[in-house]
């Protein structure tokens, strides 16, 4: 396990938007990030709440997340 993904220079990172729900000036996104490091795989699942501030400008106003770790075998 490493404290931060940046601690493992060989880590492979991949992020994917799993869902996006937009209603007028508010939105909710579910994002999955997988980081494969030398000691195992970390999977972050983030739920982001966003507010539209201006045309083509969104800000994240809240984030909750869950982390899973799968050690290398």
């Amino acid at each position: 396990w490493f404290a931060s993904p940046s601690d493992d220079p060989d880590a492979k990172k991949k992020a994917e938007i799993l869902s996006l729900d937009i209603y007028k000036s508010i939105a909710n996104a579910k994002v999955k990030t997988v980081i494969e490091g030398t000691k195992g795989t970390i999977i972050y699942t983030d739920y982001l709440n966003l507010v539209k501030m201006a045309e083509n400008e969104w800000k994240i106003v809240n984030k909750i997340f869950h982390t899973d770790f799968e050690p290398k075998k």
Side-chain angles (χ1 to χ4, degrees), residues 1 27 34 50 57 70:
W1 177 261
V34 178
L50 301 99
E57 182 183 356
E70 299 172 357

Side-chain angles (χ1 to χ4, degrees), residues 6-73:
S6 59
D7 291 346
D8 187 349
D10 297 322
K12 296 177 185 169
K13 303 169 189 168
K14 179 183 175 188
E16 175 183 11
I17 299 171
L18 300 178
S19 66
L20 179 62
D21 183 19
I22 302 171
Y23 179 74
K24 297 187 181 187
S25 64
I26 59 174
N28 180 270
K30 181 179 180 182
V31 179
K32 178 180 175 182
T33 304
V34 178
I35 303 171
E36 296 179 17
T38 56
K39 296 181 180 178
T41 301
I42 297 175
I43 303 167
Y44 294 106
T45 303
D46 298 321
Y47 288 87
L48 308 171
N49 290 322
L50 301 99
V51 173
K52 188 174 186 177
M53 306 302 283
E55 191 64 33
N56 297 318
E57 182 183 356
W58 290 84
K59 298 281 184 181
I60 298 170
V61 295
N62 186 44
K63 172 184 171 178
I64 57 173
F65 67 93
H66 179 79
T67 305
D68 288 302
F69 177 67
E70 299 172 357
K72 215 161 221 146
K73 297 179 182 179

